[in-house]
């Protein structure tokens, strides 16, 4: 080995082996010293063995390749002599470079390519040779009594230790960099504060100069000060001739004063007393007050009044000029102003420190809450599968044993006499597995079966399926997705996927409905799980560019008879490529609404694929959405699968089947996987003829909301930040602010909020009914006994006092909009203090309503997923919904859905109703409002429960990643 190494070193090859080869050389000394069974020097060979030992049979001693080195060298030499070699390289290179449109290659380029290829071949053969030698070494070790698995584990542990050391070094480097950044930021802040202090002092100086010009030491027959010479902190007597101005007849005289052109506002307030002067030279009715001269005063400013500040009517303000007295014995002016500047600087620094400290505390708390939620959600997710499969421990640790428990009675293997477990790691790529293991009965009396395995240190994921026989038969592979559970604490990380969304709506730059929210927030969530995400988006003229960071021209290409300029920027931290075709298709001032929308978006989809191809992108997944980017699915299969984008798979998501069913059906045919935005909606549309042939690849994954965008603890549109700890305080403040802003009566009344597009899908007739019902005063309303209340017997009648209702909605259809304008006018005149209908799209106001309302009503006729009920819960508002689609999957009725909630490891969280008529809405709304009146404590704890539930992307993003992986199989 040593001679081989030196030979390779002389060829310069070893330098090109991966870093881990260097690492294994570094390790040699330590291994020889620490491994009790390692008597001979080892190194390179062992590292290479790790990946290959399982697959290859170790050669017996003496059976090794005869003179491997010379065989390899000869092979390398032979390659260059092969008759077709050059032509072969030329052919391959044109495939490799074809996508960059390189058609003609010069002779020298071809030679260079040939050279490259030969070099690669040489390296490949040498690597193989090292592996062969390494195996031989291992075989020797095994023969000498070294257990192979033990040996591999030993290596992994060594690698782990080395990685930990590297991680510590990296962390230290990052800490130092952070420290450097901090010092620089501090320097910049000091600089900025000094500048500001200077500027403000200068401004004050100018203002004060004007006051100083007006200042005098006394005004004949009006006022004077004794003694004549005084300075800051002195006590002086200020005399005033009451008869000199409008206060001649006032019973009391007060001085309201300040200093240095009122710099600190009102800081001197004293009552004057009659001076009873006998001195004839001082004509008039003289009064005086003792005044302490403010410490830094250059000039004293004041007015006289007939009472204290809160009780004065008459003033003598020196004909609106106020009175100004010079302070004679002050510090020299320059010294004074330099001190002033210093004081101002210290004040700014202190303000900055306090602000930064508060921000740091808030950020830390936000991050902590987010991490806790994530951890809780993962645990709940693992527990929620318990009736089929779970592990002990629940969190699988790399390097430790794990027991898998499986309950076949809830799967396709129900009743099979035997169940076999076939597992591996790292999405089936690990060297261990998938060896079948027969499962035995778990000895806890349940119907679960169990089996155990040791989790290797380099695992990041455990994968398994179950079968009825050792060699196969019927499988439970979780409907084709396989079972995958994350492994923590290992030394290997999951390689990132590259996902490209092609979409025409995106929050907040061009949001029309929920689709826009989903594109942005799903991308962010997947990116947070360490995958790479890009979005391709039309460069509309109506984009809100203030939300686009680092927008730069990227490139331009020609396609479809026009030039297409490409811009790149970041939106909410996600990379976005903006396509700007010069034919004006996206210069229409709108996202949708043109007669040729289908053509515009069809063009965009094709242009996006062309951009990927010409740009040399090789994404793992193309994700397209609804009818508008459905064409990606078939255009890709028609034109691009065999031309450069071979490894790419297409995932298509239906957000709403109501629009463009034709395009959706065609996309379903061509997509590798399809999803829709909740399980119930997936079931509801399963019978539709455009969906039904494709059910085998169709999955329902509920949407999440972005916890950073919708976060009552960090929301600039609400008055008091809150978490579940201070939900009542936060919601009370938001309700008061909402009532004030909308001119509603300020009172603690139950408030129902509705935030919606006003279309038939959203249940317009139910919305109207609910508004009227909410406004009915003192109605006798039938309610059901509330679970969790110890007060009701059977059915009770409750008489309500008033309630309030706020609707924020906009209708694309002018007839519906008019209808609501009329309703608004009518209600504002009859119930002005209790109803407000705001008929626009207003995102900031929506935040305040989510926070200030007690209930958010969503009576949709159909609802693929719905985000409003999820946002409501994040803000501690109780959802009242119709049982359909995603509303059914996310809202669990406090009276009727306890078990269904428990299956998801959740508490019930709202009120729901069946049917699409008035009694349905009444049934849910009445129970909700009576809960508010009858059981405030219970109701308040419900708000807290809602806020602690996780309706973010934490769980759905994991499901999407599973789906992306299954699309790649
Ligand atoms: P859809 O996409 O069918 O409109 P979703 O419930 O999926 O319904 O998403 C609606 C989104 O639009 C939510 O984020 C909601 O807050 C917002 N929204 C709806 N109407 C308005 C409005 N008038 N003003 C502000 N935001 C609105």
């Amino acid at each position: 080995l040593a001679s081989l190494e030196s030979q390779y070193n002389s060829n310069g090859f070893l330098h090109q082996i991966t870093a881990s080869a260097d690492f294994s050389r570094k390790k040699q000394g330590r291994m020889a010293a620490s491994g009790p069974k390692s008597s001979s020097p080892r190194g390179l060979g062992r590292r290479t063995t790790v990946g290959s030992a399982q697959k290859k049979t170790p050669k017996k001693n003496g059976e090794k390749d005869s003179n491997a080195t010379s065989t390899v060298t000869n092979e390398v030499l032979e390659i260059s002599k092969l008759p077709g070699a050059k032509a072969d390289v030329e052919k391959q290179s044109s495939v490799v470079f074809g996508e960059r449109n390189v058609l003609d290659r010069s002779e020298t380029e071809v030679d260079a390519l040939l050279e490259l290829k030969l070099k690669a071949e040489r390296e490949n053969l040498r690597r193989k040779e090292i592996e062969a030698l390494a195996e031989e070494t291992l075989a020797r070790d095994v023969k000498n009594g070294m257990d192979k698995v033990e040996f591999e584990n030993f290596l992994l542990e060594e690698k782990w230790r080395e990685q930990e050391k590297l991680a510590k070094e990296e962390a230290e480097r990052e800490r130092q960099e952070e420290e450097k950044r901090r010092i620089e930021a501090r320097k910049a802040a000091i600089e900025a504060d000094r500048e500001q202090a200077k500027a403000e002092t200068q401004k004050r100086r100018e203002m004060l100069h004007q006051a100083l010009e007006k200042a005098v030491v006394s005004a004949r027959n009006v006022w004077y000060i004794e003694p004549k010479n005084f300075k800051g902190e002195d006590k002086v007597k200020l005399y005033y001739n009451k008869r000199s101005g409008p206060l001649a007849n006032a019973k009391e005289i007060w001085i309201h004063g300040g200093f240095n052109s009122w710099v600190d506002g009102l800081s001197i307030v004293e009552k004057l007393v009659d001076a009873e002067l006998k001195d004839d030279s001082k004509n008039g009715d003289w009064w005086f007050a003792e005044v302490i001269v403010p410490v830094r005063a250059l000039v004293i400013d004041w007015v006289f009044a007939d009472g204290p500040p809160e009780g004065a009517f008459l003033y003598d303000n020196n004909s609106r000029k106020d009175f100004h007295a010079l302070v004679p014995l002050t510090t020299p002016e320059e010294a004074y102003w330099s001190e002033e500047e210093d004081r101002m600087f210290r004040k700014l620094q202190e303000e900055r420190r306090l602000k930064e400290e508060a921000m740091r505390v808030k950020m830390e708390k936000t991050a902590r809450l987010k991490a806790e939620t994530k951890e809780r959600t993962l645990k709940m997710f693992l527990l929620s599968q318990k009736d089929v499969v779970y592990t002990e421990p629940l969190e699988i640790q790399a390097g430790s044993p794990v027991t898998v428990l499986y309950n076949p009675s809830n799967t396709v293997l129900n009743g099979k006499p035997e169940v076999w477990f076939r597992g591996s790691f790292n999405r089936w790529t690990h060297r261990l597995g998938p060896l079948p293991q027969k499962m035995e009965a778990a000895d806890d009396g349940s119907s679960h079966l169990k089996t155990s395995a040791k989790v290797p240190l380099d695992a990041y994921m455990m994968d398994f399926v179950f079968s009825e026989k050792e060699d196969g038969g019927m499988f439970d592979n979780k409907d084709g997705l396989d079972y995958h559970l994350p492994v923590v604490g290992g030394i290997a990380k999951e390689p990132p996927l590259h996902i490209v969304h092609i979409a025409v709506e995106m929050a907040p730059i061009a949001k029309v409905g929920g689709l826009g929210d989903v594109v942005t927030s799903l991308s962010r969530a997947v990116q947070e799980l360490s995958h790479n995400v890009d979005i391709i988006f039309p460069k509309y003229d109506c984009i809100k560019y203030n939300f686009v960071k680092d927008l730069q021209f990227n490139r331009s290409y020609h396609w479809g008879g026009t030039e297409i300029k490409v811009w790149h920027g970041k939106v909410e931290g996600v990379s976005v490529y903006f396509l700007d075709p010069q034919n004006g298709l996206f210069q229409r001032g709108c996202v949708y609404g043109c007669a040729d929308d289908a053509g515009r978006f069809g063009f965009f989809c094709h242009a996006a694929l062309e951009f990927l191809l010409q740009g040399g992108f090789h994404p793992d997944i193309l994700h397209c959405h609804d009818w508008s980017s459905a064409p990606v699915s078939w255009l890709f299969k028609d034109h691009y699968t065999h031309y450069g984008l071979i490894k790419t798979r297409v995932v298509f998501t239906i957000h709403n089947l109501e629009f463009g069913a034709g395009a959706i059906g065609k996309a379903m045919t061509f997509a590798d996987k399809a999803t829709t935005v909740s399980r119930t909606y997936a079931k509801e549309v399963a019978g539709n003829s455009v969906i039904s042939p494709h059910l085998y690849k169709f999955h329902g994954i509920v949407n999440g909301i972005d916890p950073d965008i919708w976060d009552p603890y960090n929301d600039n549109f609400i008055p008091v930040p809150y978490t579940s700890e201070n939900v009542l305080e936060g919601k009370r403040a938001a309700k008061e602010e909402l009532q004030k802003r909308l001119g509603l009566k300020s009172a603690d009344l139950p408030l129902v909020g509705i935030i919606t597009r006003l279309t038939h899908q959203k249940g317009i007739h139910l919305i109207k009914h609910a508004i009227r019902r909410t406004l009915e005063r003192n109605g006798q309303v039938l309610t059901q006994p509330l679970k969790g209340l110890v007060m009701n017997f059977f059915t009770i009648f409750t008489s309500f006092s008033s309630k309030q209702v706020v609707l924020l909605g906009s209708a694309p259809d002018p007839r519906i909009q008019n209808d609501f304008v009329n309703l608004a006018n009518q209600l504002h005149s009859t119930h002005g203090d209790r109803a407000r209908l705001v008929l626009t799209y207003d995102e900031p106001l929506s935040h305040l309503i989510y926070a200030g309302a007690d209930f958010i009503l969503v009576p949709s006729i159909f609802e693929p997923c719905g985000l409003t009920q999820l946002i409501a819960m994040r803000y501690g508002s109780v959802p009242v919904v119709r049982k359909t689609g995603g509303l059914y999957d996310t809202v669990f009725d406090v009276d009727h859905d306890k078990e269904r909630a428990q299956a998801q490891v959740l508490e019930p969280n709202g009120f729901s109703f069946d049917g699409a008529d008035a009694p349905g809405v009444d049934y849910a709304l009445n129970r909700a409002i009576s809960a508010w009146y009858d059981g405030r404590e219970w109701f308040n704890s419900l708000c807290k429960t809602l806020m602690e539930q996780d309706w973010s992307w934490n769980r759905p993003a994991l499901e999407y990643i599973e789906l992306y992986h299954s699309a790649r199989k």
Side-chain angles (χ1 to χ4, degrees):
L1 258 182
S3 78
L4 197 73
E5 237 186 273
S6 68
Q7 188 188 337
Y8 285 173
N9 262 328
S10 66
N11 284 346
F13 168 53
L14 266 185
H15 300 295
Q16 294 168 32
I17 306 186
T18 54
S20 49
D22 284 349
F23 152 69
S24 60
R25 279 211 307 282
K26 263 193 258 155
K27 212 167 47 191
Q28 284 178 39
R30 249 185 303 143
M31 283 173 60
S34 59
K37 291 175 192 166
S38 55
S39 50
S40 58
R42 310 180 185 98
L44 196 60
R46 294 181 144 198
R47 180 194 67 82
T48 45
T49 311
V50 174
S52 51
Q54 188 80 7
K55 294 175 226 127
K56 298 176 187 169
T57 321
K59 291 185 184 70
K60 288 189 202 108
N61 240 358
E63 196 195 276
K64 65 174 186 172
D65 283 353
S66 56
N67 206 345
T69 317
S70 63
T71 319
V72 170
T73 320
N74 288 341
E75 273 186 56
V76 172
L77 290 173
E78 285 311 307
I79 286 179
S80 53
K81 293 186 208 148
L82 292 177
K86 193 161 172 170
D88 185 33
V89 170
E90 274 183 78
K91 203 167 84 201
Q92 288 199 22
S93 65
S94 77
V95 172
V96 174
F97 289 88
E99 55 205 66
R100 289 185 219 140
N101 285 348
V102 181
L103 299 174
D104 303 318
R105 313 212 143 270
S106 69
E107 200 49 24
T108 35
E109 274 178 287
V110 171
D111 282 345
L113 285 168
L114 177 62
E115 187 52 41
L116 268 176
K117 176 163 163 93
L118 287 176
K119 202 169 154 199
E121 284 290 346
R122 268 198 305 268
E123 289 178 1
N124 209 6
L125 287 166
R126 281 175 180 158
R127 187 169 289 127
K128 271 193 205 149
E129 189 181 353
I130 290 177
E131 280 184 12
L133 280 168
E135 267 184 37
E136 227 175 274
T137 315
L138 176 64
R140 234 184 1 252
D141 283 340
V142 173
K143 206 174 166 205
N144 292 342
M146 179 80 166
D147 174 73
K148 202 166 76 178
V149 175
E150 202 182 309
F151 177 64
E152 284 181 2
N153 279 343
F154 172 74
L155 281 181
L156 280 174
E157 275 165 27
E158 275 290 302
K159 194 170 172 189
W160 191 17
R161 268 189 281 278
E162 184 75 10
Q163 275 195 5
E164 285 212 322
K165 194 174 129 232
L166 288 176
K168 267 197 196 133
E169 284 169 8
E170 180 61 27
E172 177 57 21
R173 239 194 324 277
E174 269 176 23
R175 199 194 58 74
Q176 283 176 7
E177 298 233 325
E178 180 54 38
E179 180 67 14
K180 223 162 88 190
R181 269 197 299 274
R182 218 177 51 78
I183 291 172
E184 304 226 320
R186 219 179 114 58
K187 261 199 218 153
I190 288 177
E191 195 84 349
D193 286 351
R194 276 211 187 288
E195 282 299 311
Q196 194 181 340
K198 200 172 180 168
E200 290 208 4
T201 312
Q202 184 58 27
K203 214 161 79 195
R204 278 199 188 178
R205 192 170 176 166
E206 280 160 18
M207 268 169 62
L208 195 60
H209 262 260
Q210 289 170 10
L212 278 168
E213 273 165 26
K214 288 182 245 155
V216 284
V217 290
S218 65
R220 208 173 125 74
N221 250 340
V222 182
W223 64 268
Y224 65 93
I225 292 173
E226 269 185 356
K228 274 202 169 62
N229 282 332
F230 60 88
K231 57 183 185 332
E233 288 189 292
D234 286 354
K235 190 188 265 184
V236 297
K237 281 186 177 171
L238 197 153
Y239 287 82
Y240 171 56
N241 179 5
K242 196 177 157 206
R243 214 174 285 152
S244 66
L247 296 173
N249 299 321
K251 286 207 177 66
E252 288 184 10
I253 303 289
W254 287 71
I255 170 169
H256 302 174
F259 68 103
N260 295 359
S261 199
W262 299 101
V263 63
D264 277 359
L266 196 62
S267 57
I268 302 168
V269 177
E270 297 291 343
K271 188 175 174 187
L272 277 73
V273 293
D274 193 341
E276 295 175 7
L277 292 184
K278 305 284 177 256
D279 185 351
D280 284 347
S281 66
K282 300 227 184 319
N283 266 332
D285 182 5
W286 288 90
W287 291 54
F288 80 96
E290 285 190 334
V291 171
I292 308 261
V293 180
V295 63
R296 304 196 51 77
L298 294 179
V299 60
I300 309 175
D301 320 296
W302 75 92
V303 296
F304 294 109
D306 63 350
E310 63 282 3
F313 294 103
L314 263 184
Y315 289 87
D316 178 358
N317 62 4
N318 194 18
S319 311
R320 294 192 172 181
K321 294 198 288 289
D322 302 345
F323 296 99
H324 305 282
L326 267 179
V327 179
L329 299 175
T330 48
T331 37
E333 202 180 332
E334 283 315 314
Y336 172 87
W337 286 115
S338 114
E339 267 175 43
E340 267 307 271
E341 192 176 315
D342 229 45
R343 266 161 41 92
M344 173 74 74
F345 169 70
R346 284 198 304 274
K347 192 173 136 230
L348 289 172
Q349 284 269 292
E350 181 60 9
E351 280 170 10
R352 184 187 288 274
R353 195 187 63 75
L354 291 173
K355 213 161 105 190
E356 282 177 358
E357 179 61 14
M359 247 165 74
R360 193 186 58 75
V361 169
K362 200 164 183 182
M363 269 166 62
E364 275 177 15
K365 185 164 173 185
T366 306
R368 182 171 53 77
L369 289 174
K370 211 168 152 181
E372 282 171 6
T373 307
K374 205 167 197 164
E375 202 182 315
R376 218 173 39 232
T377 301
L378 184 61
K379 268 211 179 102
M380 274 168 54
F381 171 61
L382 297 176
L383 279 171
S384 70
Q385 305 189 69
K386 209 166 175 169
D387 58 338
V388 176
V389 72
Y390 69 100
T391 60
E392 274 174 0
L394 206 54
E395 194 172 64
I396 307 171
Q397 293 281 342
S400 304
V402 64
T403 302
V404 177
L405 292 110
Y406 174 63
N407 181 6
S409 57
N410 287 333
T411 74
V412 289
L413 297 182
N414 185 20
K416 299 289 174 195
E418 286 181 3
V419 172
W420 289 76
F421 167 88
R422 316 169 101 84
S424 179
F425 301 93
N426 302 354
R427 301 201 180 273
W428 303 105
T429 62
H430 199 269
R431 65 188 187 284
L432 298 179
L435 297 176
Q437 288 173 223
K438 189 171 165 193
M439 300 194 79
E440 332 157 349
D443 29 14
D444 58 356
S446 71
S447 47
H448 279 86
L449 302 172
K450 68 172 186 182
T451 192
S452 296
K454 169 113 197 262
V455 184
L457 271 172
D458 58 348
Y460 52 79
M461 184 71 71
M462 184 169 178
D463 324 293
F464 48 91
V465 294
F466 303 93
S467 65
E468 62 171 325
K469 294 188 194 139
E470 182 173 7
D471 56 355
M474 184 181 273
F475 274 89
D476 169 12
N477 63 0
K478 205 183 175 193
D479 293 332
L481 294 176
D482 302 344
Y483 292 91
H484 299 284
L485 295 175
V487 175
V488 298
I491 57 170
K493 293 254 174 307
E494 180 158 25
L497 292 172
H498 182 201
I499 298 119
V500 173
H501 288 269
I502 299 179
V504 309
E505 267 189 63
M506 189 184 175
I509 56 169
K511 169 177 158 176
V512 180
L515 162 60
D517 287 312
V518 173
V519 169
T520 308
S521 52
L522 169 62
S523 300
R524 269 161 61 94
V526 166
Q527 192 167 279
E528 257 183 40
L529 291 166
S530 307
H531 298 281
N532 302 320
V533 182
D534 290 298
I535 296 175
I536 306 183
F537 199 70
K539 193 168 181 294
Y540 302 108
D541 52 356
C542 58
I543 280 176
K544 292 184 185 159
Y545 283 102
N546 51 329
F547 291 107
V548 186
K549 301 264 168 324
D550 308 327
L551 185 66
Q552 278 176 349
F553 177 75
N554 179 272
R555 69 187 74 183
S556 115
Y557 64 102
H558 282 268
W559 182 81
T562 185
E563 183 193 4
I564 299 174
K565 291 189 172 157
V566 184
W567 298 73
H568 182 262
K570 291 243 164 165
V571 176
E572 301 284 342
V574 184
S575 147
V576 184
Y577 289 94
F578 296 94
L579 302 192
D580 184 14
Q582 300 300 294
N583 55 11
L585 280 185
F586 300 109
Q587 307 292 314
R588 307 273 186 86
C590 61
V591 174
Y592 305 108
C594 306
D596 59 346
D597 278 354
R600 289 163 73 216
F601 295 133
F603 176 92
F604 163 69
C605 291
H606 208 149
L609 290 169
E610 195 61 29
F611 163 67
L612 288 174
L613 183 73
Q614 294 200 22
F617 290 84
H618 296 280
D620 298 296
I621 299 291
L622 280 178
H623 196 153
C624 49
H625 304 265
D626 268 356
W627 68 269
S628 48
S629 59
V632 166
S633 179
W634 64 84
L635 291 172
F636 176 76
K637 296 284 151 115
D638 279 354
H639 303 287
Y640 294 90
T641 8
H642 304 295
Y643 185 47
L645 299 170
I646 295 165
K647 67 166 190 166
T648 304
R649 299 288 177 270
V650 175
V651 171
F652 173 60
T653 295
I654 302 172
H655 298 256
N656 196 337
L657 186 55
E658 274 293 284
F659 311 105
I664 288 177
K666 194 166 172 192
M668 289 293 290
T669 309
F670 287 91
D672 296 292
K673 290 279 171 189
T675 73
T676 189
V677 290
S678 69
R679 271 171 204 239
T680 298
Y681 189 63
K683 279 189 211 144
E684 287 169 358
V685 298
N688 189 302
S689 62
V690 303
I691 307 283
S692 55
H694 311 292
L695 293 182
Y696 67 98
K697 60 178 175 185
F698 186 52
H699 301 261
I701 303 177
V702 74
N703 285 334
I705 49 168
D706 192 313
D708 295 338
I709 294 171
W710 301 105
D711 178 6
Y713 189 55
N714 290 282
D715 189 324
N716 293 332
F717 303 122
I718 64 173
V720 173
Y722 64 97
T723 64
S724 67
E725 290 161 14
N726 63 333
V727 49
L728 297 185
E729 181 201 358
K731 288 188 73 69
R732 194 178 310 121
K735 189 188 269 186
E736 278 168 18
E737 171 83 13
L738 180 65
Q739 288 166 331
K740 204 166 90 193
R741 174 105 54 100
L742 298 184
L744 294 171
K745 183 171 160 193
S746 229
D748 190 23
L749 300 173
L751 196 152
V752 179
I754 305 163
I755 300 168
T756 186
R757 285 185 295 119
L758 289 166
T759 60
H760 287 290
Q761 173 195 337
K762 302 293 178 182
I764 284 181
H765 65 292
L766 298 179
I767 290 175
K768 282 188 188 163
H769 171 79
I771 294 174
R772 291 193 190 283
R773 173 39 68 109
T774 308
L775 295 176
E776 275 170 17
R777 261 178 195 277
N778 305 322
Q780 288 255 289
V781 180
L782 192 63
T783 66
Q784 289 278 308
L786 281 168
K787 293 231 167 87
L789 286 179
V790 200
M791 43 164 284
N792 290 312
F793 303 103
F794 304 104
T795 301
I796 57 158
F797 286 93
T798 308
S799 103
F800 294 135
S801 17
S802 44
K803 311 145 222 167
Q804 288 180 326
V805 63
V806 169
L807 170 114
L808 172 63
S810 60
D813 179 341
R815 279 167 309 179
I816 299 178
Q817 182 81 6
N818 274 342
D819 193 23
F820 271 86
V821 169
N822 292 337
L823 181 65
N825 290 338
Q826 184 197 334
L827 292 178
H828 292 171
S829 67
T830 53
H831 298 87
D833 58 342
R834 296 195 297 124
R836 194 62 74 243
L837 277 56
V838 184
L839 300 171
T840 57
Y841 186 92
D842 185 342
E843 184 147 358
L845 180 60
S846 78
H847 285 241
L848 190 61
I849 299 175
Y850 282 122
D854 297 293
F855 308 98
I856 294 289
L857 176 70
V858 195
S860 307
I861 299 305
F862 72 94
E863 193 59 83
C865 177
L867 297 177
T868 30
Q869 81 281 12
L870 306 182
I871 304 170
M873 291 195 265
R874 175 89 168 129
Y875 282 74
S877 298
V878 179
V880 180
V881 306
R882 187 167 172 273
K883 285 185 190 168
T884 181
L887 297 172
Y888 180 73
D889 292 352
T890 54
V891 177
F892 302 88
D893 191 286
V894 295
D895 292 316
H896 305 301
D897 287 330
K898 201 153 187 144
E899 273 176 26
R900 203 164 61 87
Q902 256 163 10
Q904 306 271 321
V905 203
L906 286 172
E907 289 293 317
N909 55 10
F911 297 86
S912 55
F913 63 95
D914 280 311
D917 50 12
V921 191
D922 286 349
Y923 174 66
L925 208 53
N926 293 341
R927 285 183 301 134
I929 291 176
S930 85
W932 192 95
Y933 273 111
D934 299 344
R936 262 326 255 292
E937 225 164 89
W938 176 84
F939 183 83
N940 292 342
S941 73
L942 179 61
C943 297
K944 200 167 144 72
T945 303
L946 303 180
M947 287 197 75
E948 283 165 1
Q949 294 186 347
D950 180 5
W951 295 107
S952 74
W953 282 96
N954 279 338
R955 186 169 161 172
L958 291 174
E959 291 184 43
Y960 267 104
I961 288 166
E962 284 309 305
L963 187 97
Y964 293 152
H965 277 291
S966 72
R968 296 178 68 224
K969 268 194 209 155

